[in-house]
Amino acid sequence: MENDILLEIKNMRKVFGDLEVLKDISLSVRRGEVISIIGPSGSGKSTLLRCATLLEKMDGGSLKYLDTYAATTVDGKVRYAGRRELKKIRNYFGLVFQNFNLFPHYSVLKNITDAPVHTEGVPEKEAVETARKLLADLGLAGKEKAYPCELSGGQQQRVSIARALAKSPEVLFFDEPTSALDPELTGEVLRVIRRLADQKMTMIIVTHEMQFAREVSDRILFMENGVIEVEGTPDELFSSGHGRLNEFLGRLKE
C-alpha cells in the first residue's frame, strides 16, 4: 500500500566537482523494512545516506518522506522544501554515524536529551525519562553521568543509537555502525540492531557485515560506481551469480 512507504527516492544524483558519485538512484522503503546497502569503498553508499538525511544537497531527482517532499527537481534544478517542512522531515529520521559523533563535553544523558529539549521543545523531564528508558533498554543503565571518554566504543555507539531513538523516528539510518569497533564490541552493537529489527523498526544500514546483513535484512542493495547494481532479498542477492557482486563478496572472505 502506498501509505506504507516511508521514504521514496527517485533519480537521485550527486556530483562532487567532475565526479558523479550518485547516478540515477531510485529507492522506496516501506514501514518495518530493514534494508542493507553493501558495496566497495567509493561506491556512493555513505553519500546516498547523507543525501537522504539532508546532510548533502542532491544535484538531481526527488526525495520524499511520507507525504512531504524534501526536494524535487524542476527544470533541471533541485528545489528544497522550506525551513518549516524540512524541520518536520528531520524529525522523521535518525542517523547513527560510524564514529559515534557524541559531544565529548556532554554527559551521556545530555548527549541524548539536548536536541529534544533545545531543538524540538520536549519538556526536560519527559526527555530525561525517555533517555533513561532507552539507556536501560540498551544495557547502559547507570551510565547517565558518564562522559564519552569513559565508555568503550561499543557503549559509545549504543549511546548514539539511544540519541537517534530519542526522536522516535519513523526510519533509522546506520552508516557503517561497527566499522570503528573491534569484533567483540561489534557484536554488542549488532545485537542492538537485530533487536530493533525484531521490533519492526524501519532501518537502512550501510554495512560490511555480510552475515549480519543476510540475517537481518528484508532487502539488500549492492552499489558500485554510484548505481544500484543488484537488489533483492538476501537469498536472491547471494545466489544472483552477478560477477562483480561475487568478486566483492569473495574479497571480503579473504
Side-chain angles (χ1 to χ4, degrees):
M1 288 166 46
E2 192 167 326
N3 61 1
D4 278 344
I5 296 177
L6 294 184
L7 168 63
E8 190 169 28
I9 295 168
K10 288 187 177 178
N11 312 117
M12 180 184 280
R13 292 179 58 251
K14 178 63 185 175
V15 179
F16 291 107
D18 295 329
L19 181 62
E20 191 175 22
V21 178
L22 297 178
K23 309 169 186 175
D24 198 24
I25 296 285
S26 294
L27 170 65
S28 293
V29 182
R30 294 186 178 277
R31 191 180 303 277
E33 260 195 313
V34 177
I35 295 176
S36 290
I37 304 176
I38 65 173
S41 297
S43 58
K45 307 182 301 296
S46 292
T47 302
L48 171 56
L49 256 60
R50 291 181 65 82
C51 287
T53 55
L54 306 175
L55 293 174
E56 295 279 0
K57 287 198 169 182
M58 299 156 38
D59 292 305
S62 66
L63 174 64
K64 181 181 179 184
Y65 281 90
L66 294 172
D67 58 348
T68 307
Y69 277 97
T72 55
T73 298
V74 180
D75 297 329
K77 184 175 177 61
V78 177
R79 302 184 188 277
Y80 276 81
R83 184 179 299 178
R84 183 178 298 178
E85 287 83 2
L86 289 179
K87 182 178 180 182
K88 174 184 169 185
I89 287 167
R90 284 190 176 94
N91 285 328
Y92 287 150
F93 60 79
L95 175 59
V96 178
F97 300 90
Q98 56 183 301
N99 293 316
F100 323 136
N101 282 30
L102 298 174
F103 293 109
H105 55 293
Y106 283 1
S107 68
V108 164
L109 192 64
K110 188 168 173 60
N111 261 287
I112 297 170
T113 60
D114 191 64
V117 171
H118 294 107
T119 305
E120 297 154 33
V122 176
E124 187 168 359
K125 183 180 178 182
E126 181 183 328
V128 168
E129 286 176 359
T130 298
R132 288 186 187 279
K133 182 179 185 305
L134 286 167
L135 288 170
D137 289 347
L138 296 175
L140 293 168
K143 296 292 186 182
E144 292 87 349
K145 294 181 181 179
Y147 285 82
C149 65
E150 300 173 308
L151 304 177
S152 70
Q155 289 172 327
Q156 289 185 60
Q157 191 60 295
R158 282 183 281 156
V159 172
S160 71
I161 292 171
R163 180 177 61 184
L165 288 171
K167 299 171 64 178
S168 298
E170 296 280 356
V171 56
L172 202 52
F173 292 88
F174 291 87
D175 188 6
E176 298 191 23
T178 61
S179 65
L181 303 176
D182 65 36
E184 185 176 0
L185 299 181
T186 290
E188 281 181 23
V189 174
L190 294 183
R191 280 191 292 275
V192 169
I193 299 173
R194 185 176 277 110
R195 197 162 79 238
L196 291 171
D198 290 341
Q199 296 166 359
K200 300 300 180 186
M201 181 77 206
T202 309
M203 293 185 285
I204 300 173
I205 308 165
V206 170
T207 184
H208 287 295
E209 302 287 339
M210 291 302 109
Q211 187 57 36
F212 173 74
R214 188 169 196 162
E215 292 169 2
V216 81
S217 305
D218 297 297
R219 279 190 289 152
I220 301 178
L221 315 180
F222 171 66
M223 285 186 66
E224 186 171 47
N225 298 323
V227 300
I228 298 172
E229 287 279 0
V230 190
E231 175 181 353
T233 67
D235 285 346
E236 289 169 345
L237 192 104
F238 285 98
S239 63
S240 72
H242 187 278
R244 182 63 187 97
L245 171 60
N246 287 348
E247 182 185 342
F248 170 74
L249 294 174
R251 284 185 178 173
L252 289 180
K253 292 175 184 175
E254 290 173 0

